[in-house]
Every structure is written in C-alpha cells, then in structure tokens.
Amino acid sequence: MQIRPLRDTDRPALGDMLEPVFRAGDTYTVDPDISRGDAIAFWTAAEKSVFVAEDGDVLLGTYYIKPNQAGGGAHVCNCGYITAAHAAGKGVARAMLAHSLDEAKAQGFRAMQYNFVVSSNTRAVETWQRAGFETVGRLPKAFNHPRLGYVDALVMFKSLE
C-alpha cells in the first residue's frame, strides 16, 4: 500500500469511495443526498490537503488534513478519513492515520483534533484511542443516526509535540 497526494485522475474513484459513505449517513455530518460532484468538492476544498491510499491502481482509502480553526487555532489540524468498502478491515485506516500524523507534523501542526466523531462508529473511536487520542468532550445526542436515532458525538484530541 502506498499513500500519496490526490491526483486529478483519482477523482472518479474518489467519488466511488465518498458516495456510499455519505449516502449511508451514519458517520459524517454530510447530507446523504449530496450530489457526487458536491461530495468531491467538499472533500477536496481548497483548505484541505487530500491523500489517497492505493494498491497498484486501486484506491483503498482517502483522507484530508486542514487547519481546525483560523488564527490562534491554526496550529491544530483536523482530518477526515474514508476507507473503501472493499478494503475494510485491511489496516487502511490505521495506515492513513499514521501517515496523517506524520504529515501533520511536517506541515507544522502541534495537535490533531476530531470535532465530531459519531460515538456509534466504534471502529474509528477504537482506532483513534489506540493511537493516543483522548476524548476531551462529549456532545450528548448531537448526531441523528439513521438506524440508532440520536447518539453522542465525541471531540477527540492528540498533542503532536
């Protein structure tokens, strides 16, 4: 597996990864009815550095990194991650997390923060915890899960120093 910056030629495969995750509506605060073009535009917005994990010509996952806030909060980054359905359980998320931590340091960030981790996304929560992220906040019933109803969202944080 190789992790590299997104290329324009990756956009069709990127859309293939984003669509089912956003349509499911169970992990991201993105309208499940978002168009494919708008989903790609959201993921690749100008303030984000976007990377893909690939095996040969097959994309396995993607992540972005961006400043979490402007001004006095710009030293803390935020990331979003998606693993392709066909690559689930193969260590792609862990590899992208490790890459993003290195990339964050290389870009000069001093910490990484996830603002809204859906608590029912236990695989993600456990992955972040194993990597040393702490839950520093809990937003009660902040996410309306399509099957579970209202569930908590977590704020997770890790210093990079």
Side-chain angles (χ1 to χ4, degrees):
M1 175 184 349
Q2 174 189 354
I3 300 176
R4 60 164 175 79
L6 178 77
R7 298 178 190 135
D8 281 339
T9 56
D10 297 325
R11 288 178 183 268
L14 177 65
D16 292 343
M17 281 191 288
L18 298 176
E19 274 192 298
V21 172
F22 292 165
R23 296 273 179 267
D26 58 0
T27 56
Y28 276 89
T29 57
V30 173
D31 183 345
D33 294 326
I34 191 170
S35 72
R36 181 182 180 95
D38 286 348
I40 293 169
F42 164 78
W43 199 259
T44 62
E47 74 276 7
K48 298 174 180 173
S49 298
V50 182
F51 295 85
V52 293
E54 68 178 357
D55 183 9
D57 290 336
V58 178
L59 293 191
L60 306 174
T62 181
Y63 82 87
Y64 67 75
I65 185 170
K66 67 176 190 132
N68 193 46
Q69 301 293 330
H75 63 285
V76 177
C77 68
N78 174 262
C79 296
Y81 307 83
I82 290 181
T83 300
H86 63 84
K90 297 180 180 176
V92 176
R94 285 189 309 275
M96 290 191 300
L97 173 58
H99 189 275
S100 69
L101 289 168
D102 290 341
E103 183 64 24
K105 290 177 190 175
Q107 289 190 25
F109 291 109
R110 298 173 57 125
M112 188 176 287
Q113 178 176 318
Y114 305 139
N115 301 321
F116 203 95
V117 180
V118 177
S119 62
S120 58
N121 188 356
T122 56
R123 286 184 74 168
V125 171
E126 290 167 3
T127 298
W128 310 155
Q129 287 173 332
R130 279 193 306 274
F133 282 80
E134 294 181 49
T135 299
V136 296
R138 180 175 288 270
L139 310 171
K141 300 186 186 310
F143 185 77
N144 189 5
H145 192 282
R147 290 182 322 279
L148 303 174
Y150 292 98
V151 298
D152 295 353
L154 308 175
V155 179
M156 301 184 79
F157 183 87
K158 178 180 175 75
S159 174
L160 301 178
E161 298 185 319

